[in-house]
Amino acid sequence: MVDATDPQVGIPAAPAAPKPPVFEAEQKIQQQLVERFPFLTDQITIQRARRMWVKLPMEQLHPVMLAAKDQLAFGMLCTITGTDEGANIGLLYHMAQDSGIVMTLCTEAPKNGPGPATVTPYFPTAELAEREVIDLLGAQIQNLPEGPRYPLPE
């Protein structure tokens, strides 16, 4: 009888475990953000290729967004998503590079207090998305000029 554990038998070795994917571009962005904003250590998640999440305090939204836009080539604000988080409103700013990497800046604002300042000085097209989170969730976006309500049919 042949011992199956005997290396002389010729049973192929089990395949090596697959290596975890390496997201070089995403890791470089993560490194650059953490170097500039040390409070982001352990606050950035690379979900998969071309998909990143950054959790940050509301007070840091504008500095991080400007650095992402001006220094990391996140020149597009795709949309803003609002979520009901109990006592707070979650605000997710989805930014993209021409390369296809999407980075979402995640912050929260109190329902009964001031929210972040408008991002329309950097992304004028954000006005509609900001009006949407105001009208649908009650977010208090600061310094947004007067304008029409979010256009929902009655």
Side-chain angles (χ1 to χ4, degrees):
M1 183 164 154
V2 178
D3 181 0
T5 60
D6 184 353
Q8 302 294 331
V9 174
I11 297 175
K19 293 181 181 178
V22 176
F23 305 116
E24 291 179 18
E26 294 84 350
Q27 289 173 347
K28 183 176 179 182
I29 293 165
Q30 179 180 23
Q31 177 185 0
Q32 290 172 315
L33 283 171
V34 169
E35 284 175 2
R36 172 122 189 222
F37 304 101
F39 67 88
L40 290 177
T41 301
D42 300 325
Q43 299 301 309
I44 300 174
T45 302
I46 299 171
Q47 180 183 11
R48 59 181 166 80
R50 298 185 308 277
R51 199 70 176 96
M52 302 176 66
W53 299 84
V54 181
K55 186 175 180 181
L56 60 139
M58 182 178 68
E59 298 77 21
Q60 294 297 323
L61 175 65
H62 284 259
V64 173
M65 181 177 282
L66 280 174
K69 181 179 186 274
D70 295 340
Q71 296 162 9
L72 301 175
F74 282 90
M76 292 174 273
L77 180 67
C78 304
T79 194
I80 302 168
T81 302
T83 59
D84 186 337
E85 301 294 332
N88 293 321
I89 296 170
L91 297 167
L92 292 78
Y93 295 79
H94 308 278
M95 303 177 72
Q97 289 182 331
D98 287 340
S99 68
I101 295 176
V102 176
M103 178 172 67
T104 300
L105 304 181
C106 308
T107 193
E108 289 188 359
K111 282 185 179 174
N112 297 322
T118 181
V119 298
T120 55
Y122 325 125
F123 297 103
T125 58
E127 182 178 355
L128 184 61
E130 288 181 334
R131 292 195 189 286
E132 180 181 19
V133 296
I134 289 169
D135 283 354
L136 297 179
L137 292 170
Q140 297 180 33
I141 305 296
Q142 305 301 303
N143 305 319
L144 183 63
E146 290 294 322
R149 293 188 59 182
Y150 178 70
L152 287 176
E154 292 295 324

